[in-house]
Amino acid sequence: MKNEMRALVKSKPEVGLWMERVPVPEIGPNDVLIKVKKSAICGTDVHIWNWDEWSQKVVPVPLVTGHEFVGEIAELGSAVENLNLGQRVSGEGHITCGHCRNCRAGKGHLCRNTLGVGVQRAGSFAEYLSLPQQNVVPIPDDIPDDIAAIFDPMGNAVHTALSFDLVGEDVLVTGAGPIGIMGALVAQKVGARKVAITDINPVRLKLAQDMGVEYVVNAQEKTLRELMEDMGMKEGFDVGLEMSGSPHAMRDMIDVMNNGGKLALLGIAPVKFEIDWNKVIFKMLHIKGIYGREIFETWYKMIALVQSGLDVSGLITHRMRIDDFEAGFAAMREGSAGKVVMDWD
């Protein structure tokens, strides 16, 4: 095992990431060292690249970034069980404490002491990544590397979409980024009656259409009331999946929810904003905030969804060598990409 590796590092408190040589992570008895094969770029990574207000508050400098990946096990800690050298794996990017009330109750996704891979601790934009063994997720042979590399964001979509019973329900997704599109496809796959997705970015809207989302709407050209007429709906949407972080989209969604409707919120707004809480109260809406994945139920469900025919490969619009990472980030920052997957080999 070599002592140094290449990695994308947030080495200065300013815009950008830099390819540097850093030490290969050391592993403890309960850790696994993973040789990364492919890395994907997340919206979080774009925030870190841009060095926005959120990043400045939470990201220590210097830090190896990234958390969407697939690789193979290169080294096992002395106490690790049920994993093998050379095994294909991805990993849960939220490192939980194991001793808080939620962790001890089997609800690790609610851990108040969570650390993010590539956000607060060394990440996967590197040749090697160290993870606790309980965060390592084996990848079945019938799941391609490219798909495994985007399981982290797909898990966000699956967690959000499966928060409520969708069978026979009318579902509205606001925000046609990759996670929004995956959420809409999951809803269609598991038996929603009608599924609509909205956005204002023409590239994303075309991608949603190409991926087979049933109703794709440019919110600048058609109101949600007009959409409901097109869909033959009279009362309102049963389930809303808010994936955009847009205050306007959130307010519009609340307006067209049916009484007793359910909202799952994943999109992160750039600023605080107001909604009409009287509508929430008098419509008796259920609102659930979503962060990350349920550990590890979401992983089992999304692997099963892909194995049973859910095809999200069309969301990968850019494939490139890791040395071309600047082009990948440029595509993400200008909104012309779905998912960008970068190859370390």
Side-chain angles (χ1 to χ4, degrees), residues 178-208:
I179 295 177
I181 294 172
M182 285 190 278
L185 295 175
V186 170
Q188 290 180 176
K189 172 78 172 169
V190 301
R193 187 176 75 136
K194 294 181 178 179
V195 178
I197 194 167
T198 67
D199 206 298
I200 59 173
N201 181 322
V203 174
R204 290 181 160 184
L205 290 166
K206 184 178 186 309
L207 188 57

PDB file of all heavy atoms in Angstrom, residues 178-208:
ATOM      1  N   PRO A 178     -31.644  15.970 -10.519  1.00  0.00           N
ATOM      2  CA  PRO A 178     -31.545  14.502 -10.531  1.00  0.00           C
ATOM      3  C   PRO A 178     -32.337  13.834  -9.408  1.00  0.00           C
ATOM      4  O   PRO A 178     -32.997  12.809  -9.634  1.00  0.00           O
ATOM      5  CB  PRO A 178     -30.038  14.262 -10.379  1.00  0.00           C
ATOM      6  CG  PRO A 178     -29.402  15.473 -10.954  1.00  0.00           C
ATOM      7  CD  PRO A 178     -30.311  16.618 -10.602  1.00  0.00           C
ATOM      8  N   ILE A 179     -32.306  14.403  -8.195  1.00  0.00           N
ATOM      9  CA  ILE A 179     -33.016  13.770  -7.085  1.00  0.00           C
ATOM     10  C   ILE A 179     -34.521  13.899  -7.276  1.00  0.00           C
ATOM     11  O   ILE A 179     -35.278  12.956  -7.016  1.00  0.00           O
ATOM     12  CB  ILE A 179     -32.562  14.368  -5.736  1.00  0.00           C
ATOM     13  CG1 ILE A 179     -31.085  14.042  -5.495  1.00  0.00           C
ATOM     14  CG2 ILE A 179     -33.396  13.825  -4.585  1.00  0.00           C
ATOM     15  CD1 ILE A 179     -30.513  14.649  -4.218  1.00  0.00           C
ATOM     16  N   GLY A 180     -34.982  15.046  -7.761  1.00  0.00           N
ATOM     17  CA  GLY A 180     -36.403  15.205  -8.037  1.00  0.00           C
ATOM     18  C   GLY A 180     -36.897  14.229  -9.086  1.00  0.00           C
ATOM     19  O   GLY A 180     -37.957  13.610  -8.939  1.00  0.00           O
ATOM     20  N   ILE A 181     -36.117  14.084 -10.167  1.00  0.00           N
ATOM     21  CA  ILE A 181     -36.509  13.139 -11.224  1.00  0.00           C
ATOM     22  C   ILE A 181     -36.527  11.712 -10.679  1.00  0.00           C
ATOM     23  O   ILE A 181     -37.461  10.945 -10.946  1.00  0.00           O
ATOM     24  CB  ILE A 181     -35.553  13.258 -12.437  1.00  0.00           C
ATOM     25  CG1 ILE A 181     -35.709  14.633 -13.100  1.00  0.00           C
ATOM     26  CG2 ILE A 181     -35.835  12.144 -13.452  1.00  0.00           C
ATOM     27  CD1 ILE A 181     -34.683  14.920 -14.183  1.00  0.00           C
ATOM     28  N   MET A 182     -35.524  11.344  -9.891  1.00  0.00           N
ATOM     29  CA  MET A 182     -35.517  10.002  -9.303  1.00  0.00           C
ATOM     30  C   MET A 182     -36.721   9.808  -8.390  1.00  0.00           C
ATOM     31  O   MET A 182     -37.338   8.739  -8.382  1.00  0.00           O
ATOM     32  CB  MET A 182     -34.204   9.751  -8.550  1.00  0.00           C
ATOM     33  CG  MET A 182     -33.028   9.493  -9.472  1.00  0.00           C
ATOM     34  SD  MET A 182     -31.509   8.920  -8.637  1.00  0.00           S
ATOM     35  CE  MET A 182     -30.821  10.465  -8.061  1.00  0.00           C
ATOM     36  N   GLY A 183     -37.084  10.837  -7.619  1.00  0.00           N
ATOM     37  CA  GLY A 183     -38.253  10.741  -6.760  1.00  0.00           C
ATOM     38  C   GLY A 183     -39.517  10.499  -7.558  1.00  0.00           C
ATOM     39  O   GLY A 183     -40.367   9.668  -7.184  1.00  0.00           O
ATOM     40  N   ALA A 184     -39.658  11.194  -8.688  1.00  0.00           N
ATOM     41  CA  ALA A 184     -40.830  11.007  -9.550  1.00  0.00           C
ATOM     42  C   ALA A 184     -40.852   9.602 -10.143  1.00  0.00           C
ATOM     43  O   ALA A 184     -41.915   8.961 -10.212  1.00  0.00           O
ATOM     44  CB  ALA A 184     -40.822  12.059 -10.664  1.00  0.00           C
ATOM     45  N   LEU A 185     -39.692   9.101 -10.570  1.00  0.00           N
ATOM     46  CA  LEU A 185     -39.630   7.753 -11.151  1.00  0.00           C
ATOM     47  C   LEU A 185     -39.950   6.691 -10.108  1.00  0.00           C
ATOM     48  O   LEU A 185     -40.617   5.689 -10.409  1.00  0.00           O
ATOM     49  CB  LEU A 185     -38.245   7.506 -11.747  1.00  0.00           C
ATOM     50  CG  LEU A 185     -37.857   8.388 -12.944  1.00  0.00           C
ATOM     51  CD1 LEU A 185     -36.421   8.114 -13.361  1.00  0.00           C
ATOM     52  CD2 LEU A 185     -38.804   8.162 -14.119  1.00  0.00           C
ATOM     53  N   VAL A 186     -39.489   6.898  -8.865  1.00  0.00           N
ATOM     54  CA  VAL A 186     -39.819   5.959  -7.790  1.00  0.00           C
ATOM     55  C   VAL A 186     -41.324   5.954  -7.552  1.00  0.00           C
ATOM     56  O   VAL A 186     -41.941   4.893  -7.416  1.00  0.00           O
ATOM     57  CB  VAL A 186     -39.060   6.316  -6.494  1.00  0.00           C
ATOM     58  CG1 VAL A 186     -39.591   5.496  -5.317  1.00  0.00           C
ATOM     59  CG2 VAL A 186     -37.562   6.071  -6.666  1.00  0.00           C
ATOM     60  N   ALA A 187     -41.935   7.142  -7.522  1.00  0.00           N
ATOM     61  CA  ALA A 187     -43.379   7.233  -7.304  1.00  0.00           C
ATOM     62  C   ALA A 187     -44.138   6.463  -8.381  1.00  0.00           C
ATOM     63  O   ALA A 187     -45.095   5.717  -8.081  1.00  0.00           O
ATOM     64  CB  ALA A 187     -43.814   8.700  -7.280  1.00  0.00           C
ATOM     65  N   GLN A 188     -43.707   6.618  -9.639  1.00  0.00           N
ATOM     66  CA  GLN A 188     -44.370   5.885 -10.730  1.00  0.00           C
ATOM     67  C   GLN A 188     -44.152   4.381 -10.592  1.00  0.00           C
ATOM     68  O   GLN A 188     -45.071   3.588 -10.808  1.00  0.00           O
ATOM     69  CB  GLN A 188     -43.843   6.386 -12.081  1.00  0.00           C
ATOM     70  CG  GLN A 188     -44.299   7.801 -12.399  1.00  0.00           C
ATOM     71  CD  GLN A 188     -43.797   8.340 -13.729  1.00  0.00           C
ATOM     72  OE1 GLN A 188     -44.158   9.436 -14.130  1.00  0.00           O
ATOM     73  NE2 GLN A 188     -42.948   7.604 -14.437  1.00  0.00           N
ATOM     74  N   LYS A 189     -42.947   4.005 -10.187  1.00  0.00           N
ATOM     75  CA  LYS A 189     -42.601   2.590 -10.072  1.00  0.00           C
ATOM     76  C   LYS A 189     -43.430   1.885  -9.002  1.00  0.00           C
ATOM     77  O   LYS A 189     -43.831   0.723  -9.175  1.00  0.00           O
ATOM     78  CB  LYS A 189     -41.104   2.471  -9.752  1.00  0.00           C
ATOM     79  CG  LYS A 189     -40.605   1.075  -9.413  1.00  0.00           C
ATOM     80  CD  LYS A 189     -40.416   0.215 -10.629  1.00  0.00           C
ATOM     81  CE  LYS A 189     -39.727  -1.093 -10.269  1.00  0.00           C
ATOM     82  NZ  LYS A 189     -39.760  -2.055 -11.383  1.00  0.00           N
ATOM     83  N   VAL A 190     -43.707   2.578  -7.894  1.00  0.00           N
ATOM     84  CA  VAL A 190     -44.366   1.904  -6.766  1.00  0.00           C
ATOM     85  C   VAL A 190     -45.887   2.053  -6.778  1.00  0.00           C
ATOM     86  O   VAL A 190     -46.548   1.628  -5.828  1.00  0.00           O
ATOM     87  CB  VAL A 190     -43.801   2.376  -5.407  1.00  0.00           C
ATOM     88  CG1 VAL A 190     -42.303   2.111  -5.330  1.00  0.00           C
ATOM     89  CG2 VAL A 190     -44.107   3.844  -5.140  1.00  0.00           C
ATOM     90  N   GLY A 191     -46.447   2.665  -7.848  1.00  0.00           N
ATOM     91  CA  GLY A 191     -47.898   2.596  -7.986  1.00  0.00           C
ATOM     92  C   GLY A 191     -48.679   3.873  -7.780  1.00  0.00           C
ATOM     93  O   GLY A 191     -49.894   3.826  -7.563  1.00  0.00           O
ATOM     94  N   ALA A 192     -48.018   5.047  -7.863  1.00  0.00           N
ATOM     95  CA  ALA A 192     -48.786   6.293  -7.826  1.00  0.00           C
ATOM     96  C   ALA A 192     -49.720   6.345  -9.034  1.00  0.00           C
ATOM     97  O   ALA A 192     -49.437   5.775 -10.090  1.00  0.00           O
ATOM     98  CB  ALA A 192     -47.841   7.493  -7.834  1.00  0.00           C
ATOM     99  N   ARG A 193     -50.856   7.047  -8.878  1.00  0.00           N
ATOM    100  CA  ARG A 193     -51.817   7.130  -9.978  1.00  0.00           C
ATOM    101  C   ARG A 193     -51.305   8.072 -11.062  1.00  0.00           C
ATOM    102  O   ARG A 193     -51.183   7.702 -12.230  1.00  0.00           O
ATOM    103  CB  ARG A 193     -53.182   7.602  -9.451  1.00  0.00           C
ATOM    104  CG  ARG A 193     -54.278   7.550 -10.511  1.00  0.00           C
ATOM    105  CD  ARG A 193     -55.629   7.924  -9.940  1.00  0.00           C
ATOM    106  NE  ARG A 193     -55.737   9.368  -9.718  1.00  0.00           N
ATOM    107  CZ  ARG A 193     -56.820  10.084 -10.056  1.00  0.00           C
ATOM    108  NH1 ARG A 193     -57.870   9.476 -10.609  1.00  0.00           N
ATOM    109  NH2 ARG A 193     -56.862  11.370  -9.816  1.00  0.00           N
ATOM    110  N   LYS A 194     -51.009   9.306 -10.672  1.00  0.00           N
ATOM    111  CA  LYS A 194     -50.467  10.287 -11.608  1.00  0.00           C
ATOM    112  C   LYS A 194     -49.325  11.023 -10.919  1.00  0.00           C
ATOM    113  O   LYS A 194     -49.396  11.325  -9.731  1.00  0.00           O
ATOM    114  CB  LYS A 194     -51.538  11.276 -12.064  1.00  0.00           C
ATOM    115  CG  LYS A 194     -52.645  10.624 -12.892  1.00  0.00           C
ATOM    116  CD  LYS A 194     -53.674  11.639 -13.349  1.00  0.00           C
ATOM    117  CE  LYS A 194     -54.742  10.951 -14.205  1.00  0.00           C
ATOM    118  NZ  LYS A 194     -55.785  11.893 -14.654  1.00  0.00           N
ATOM    119  N   VAL A 195     -48.268  11.306 -11.702  1.00  0.00           N
ATOM    120  CA  VAL A 195     -47.079  11.965 -11.151  1.00  0.00           C
ATOM    121  C   VAL A 195     -46.716  13.143 -12.047  1.00  0.00           C
ATOM    122  O   VAL A 195     -46.587  12.986 -13.266  1.00  0.00           O
ATOM    123  CB  VAL A 195     -45.882  10.996 -11.047  1.00  0.00           C
ATOM    124  CG1 VAL A 195     -44.651  11.717 -10.523  1.00  0.00           C
ATOM    125  CG2 VAL A 195     -46.230   9.809 -10.161  1.00  0.00           C
ATOM    126  N   ALA A 196     -46.540  14.320 -11.432  1.00  0.00           N
ATOM    127  CA  ALA A 196     -46.120  15.514 -12.164  1.00  0.00           C
ATOM    128  C   ALA A 196     -44.860  16.071 -11.536  1.00  0.00           C
ATOM    129  O   ALA A 196     -44.642  15.961 -10.324  1.00  0.00           O
ATOM    130  CB  ALA A 196     -47.227  16.566 -12.135  1.00  0.00           C
ATOM    131  N   ILE A 197     -44.024  16.690 -12.371  1.00  0.00           N
ATOM    132  CA  ILE A 197     -42.810  17.340 -11.878  1.00  0.00           C
ATOM    133  C   ILE A 197     -42.713  18.727 -12.495  1.00  0.00           C
ATOM    134  O   ILE A 197     -43.081  18.920 -13.661  1.00  0.00           O
ATOM    135  CB  ILE A 197     -41.553  16.496 -12.188  1.00  0.00           C
ATOM    136  CG1 ILE A 197     -40.337  16.993 -11.394  1.00  0.00           C
ATOM    137  CG2 ILE A 197     -41.251  16.469 -13.678  1.00  0.00           C
ATOM    138  CD1 ILE A 197     -39.163  16.014 -11.409  1.00  0.00           C
ATOM    139  N   THR A 198     -42.263  19.701 -11.699  1.00  0.00           N
ATOM    140  CA  THR A 198     -42.147  21.078 -12.187  1.00  0.00           C
ATOM    141  C   THR A 198     -40.737  21.598 -11.982  1.00  0.00           C
ATOM    142  O   THR A 198     -40.017  21.179 -11.087  1.00  0.00           O
ATOM    143  CB  THR A 198     -43.121  22.011 -11.445  1.00  0.00           C
ATOM    144  OG1 THR A 198     -42.726  22.125 -10.070  1.00  0.00           O
ATOM    145  CG2 THR A 198     -44.550  21.502 -11.515  1.00  0.00           C
ATOM    146  N   ASP A 199     -40.369  22.544 -12.853  1.00  0.00           N
ATOM    147  CA  ASP A 199     -39.079  23.235 -12.744  1.00  0.00           C
ATOM    148  C   ASP A 199     -39.145  24.426 -13.683  1.00  0.00           C
ATOM    149  O   ASP A 199     -40.159  24.616 -14.386  1.00  0.00           O
ATOM    150  CB  ASP A 199     -37.919  22.296 -13.121  1.00  0.00           C
ATOM    151  CG  ASP A 199     -36.596  22.691 -12.448  1.00  0.00           C
ATOM    152  OD1 ASP A 199     -36.121  23.809 -12.717  1.00  0.00           O
ATOM    153  OD2 ASP A 199     -36.066  21.903 -11.655  1.00  0.00           O
ATOM    154  N   ILE A 200     -38.086  25.233 -13.715  1.00  0.00           N
ATOM    155  CA  ILE A 200     -38.017  26.329 -14.688  1.00  0.00           C
ATOM    156  C   ILE A 200     -36.778  26.202 -15.574  1.00  0.00           C
ATOM    157  O   ILE A 200     -36.601  26.996 -16.496  1.00  0.00           O
ATOM    158  CB  ILE A 200     -38.011  27.702 -13.977  1.00  0.00           C
ATOM    159  CG1 ILE A 200     -36.834  27.826 -13.011  1.00  0.00           C
ATOM    160  CG2 ILE A 200     -39.336  27.941 -13.249  1.00  0.00           C
ATOM    161  CD1 ILE A 200     -36.680  29.206 -12.403  1.00  0.00           C
ATOM    162  N   ASN A 201     -35.935  25.190 -15.304  1.00  0.00           N
ATOM    163  CA  ASN A 201     -34.716  24.973 -16.084  1.00  0.00           C
ATOM    164  C   ASN A 201     -35.037  24.055 -17.265  1.00  0.00           C
ATOM    165  O   ASN A 201     -35.392  22.895 -17.077  1.00  0.00           O
ATOM    166  CB  ASN A 201     -33.648  24.336 -15.180  1.00  0.00           C
ATOM    167  CG  ASN A 201     -32.329  24.096 -15.892  1.00  0.00           C
ATOM    168  OD1 ASN A 201     -32.297  23.724 -17.050  1.00  0.00           O
ATOM    169  ND2 ASN A 201     -31.220  24.300 -15.184  1.00  0.00           N
ATOM    170  N   PRO A 202     -34.912  24.554 -18.523  1.00  0.00           N
ATOM    171  CA  PRO A 202     -35.293  23.739 -19.679  1.00  0.00           C
ATOM    172  C   PRO A 202     -34.469  22.462 -19.834  1.00  0.00           C
ATOM    173  O   PRO A 202     -34.990  21.441 -20.309  1.00  0.00           O
ATOM    174  CB  PRO A 202     -35.094  24.678 -20.872  1.00  0.00           C
ATOM    175  CG  PRO A 202     -34.240  25.801 -20.373  1.00  0.00           C
ATOM    176  CD  PRO A 202     -34.496  25.921 -18.917  1.00  0.00           C
ATOM    177  N   VAL A 203     -33.193  22.502 -19.435  1.00  0.00           N
ATOM    178  CA  VAL A 203     -32.351  21.300 -19.532  1.00  0.00           C
ATOM    179  C   VAL A 203     -32.893  20.214 -18.608  1.00  0.00           C
ATOM    180  O   VAL A 203     -33.033  19.042 -19.001  1.00  0.00           O
ATOM    181  CB  VAL A 203     -30.887  21.634 -19.182  1.00  0.00           C
ATOM    182  CG1 VAL A 203     -30.039  20.362 -19.128  1.00  0.00           C
ATOM    183  CG2 VAL A 203     -30.302  22.613 -20.186  1.00  0.00           C
ATOM    184  N   ARG A 204     -33.230  20.591 -17.388  1.00  0.00           N
ATOM    185  CA  ARG A 204     -33.748  19.622 -16.423  1.00  0.00           C
ATOM    186  C   ARG A 204     -35.131  19.120 -16.830  1.00  0.00           C
ATOM    187  O   ARG A 204     -35.454  17.942 -16.663  1.00  0.00           O
ATOM    188  CB  ARG A 204     -33.781  20.246 -15.033  1.00  0.00           C
ATOM    189  CG  ARG A 204     -32.393  20.467 -14.454  1.00  0.00           C
ATOM    190  CD  ARG A 204     -32.417  21.067 -13.071  1.00  0.00           C
ATOM    191  NE  ARG A 204     -31.158  20.828 -12.377  1.00  0.00           N
ATOM    192  CZ  ARG A 204     -30.923  21.169 -11.129  1.00  0.00           C
ATOM    193  NH1 ARG A 204     -31.869  21.768 -10.420  1.00  0.00           N
ATOM    194  NH2 ARG A 204     -29.759  20.907 -10.564  1.00  0.00           N
ATOM    195  N   LEU A 205     -35.966  20.004 -17.364  1.00  0.00           N
ATOM    196  CA  LEU A 205     -37.300  19.591 -17.784  1.00  0.00           C
ATOM    197  C   LEU A 205     -37.216  18.577 -18.928  1.00  0.00           C
ATOM    198  O   LEU A 205     -37.959  17.588 -18.952  1.00  0.00           O
ATOM    199  CB  LEU A 205     -38.112  20.819 -18.209  1.00  0.00           C
ATOM    200  CG  LEU A 205     -38.515  21.750 -17.055  1.00  0.00           C
ATOM    201  CD1 LEU A 205     -39.002  23.094 -17.594  1.00  0.00           C
ATOM    202  CD2 LEU A 205     -39.584  21.106 -16.184  1.00  0.00           C
ATOM    203  N   LYS A 206     -36.302  18.813 -19.882  1.00  0.00           N
ATOM    204  CA  LYS A 206     -36.129  17.860 -20.982  1.00  0.00           C
ATOM    205  C   LYS A 206     -35.624  16.521 -20.462  1.00  0.00           C
ATOM    206  O   LYS A 206     -36.055  15.452 -20.915  1.00  0.00           O
ATOM    207  CB  LYS A 206     -35.174  18.412 -22.040  1.00  0.00           C
ATOM    208  CG  LYS A 206     -35.044  17.470 -23.249  1.00  0.00           C
ATOM    209  CD  LYS A 206     -34.139  18.029 -24.308  1.00  0.00           C
ATOM    210  CE  LYS A 206     -34.160  17.137 -25.560  1.00  0.00           C
ATOM    211  NZ  LYS A 206     -33.917  15.716 -25.278  1.00  0.00           N
ATOM    212  N   LEU A 207     -34.705  16.572 -19.472  1.00  0.00           N
ATOM    213  CA  LEU A 207     -34.187  15.331 -18.891  1.00  0.00           C
ATOM    214  C   LEU A 207     -35.313  14.548 -18.217  1.00  0.00           C
ATOM    215  O   LEU A 207     -35.412  13.326 -18.373  1.00  0.00           O
ATOM    216  CB  LEU A 207     -33.069  15.650 -17.898  1.00  0.00           C
ATOM    217  CG  LEU A 207     -32.281  14.471 -17.324  1.00  0.00           C
ATOM    218  CD1 LEU A 207     -31.660  13.632 -18.438  1.00  0.00           C
ATOM    219  CD2 LEU A 207     -31.195  14.974 -16.371  1.00  0.00           C
ATOM    220  N   ALA A 208     -36.182  15.240 -17.486  1.00  0.00           N
ATOM    221  CA  ALA A 208     -37.316  14.581 -16.842  1.00  0.00           C
ATOM    222  C   ALA A 208     -38.227  13.933 -17.883  1.00  0.00           C
ATOM    223  O   ALA A 208     -38.710  12.804 -17.705  1.00  0.00           O
ATOM    224  CB  ALA A 208     -38.098  15.581 -16.004  1.00  0.00           C
TER     225      ALA A 208
END
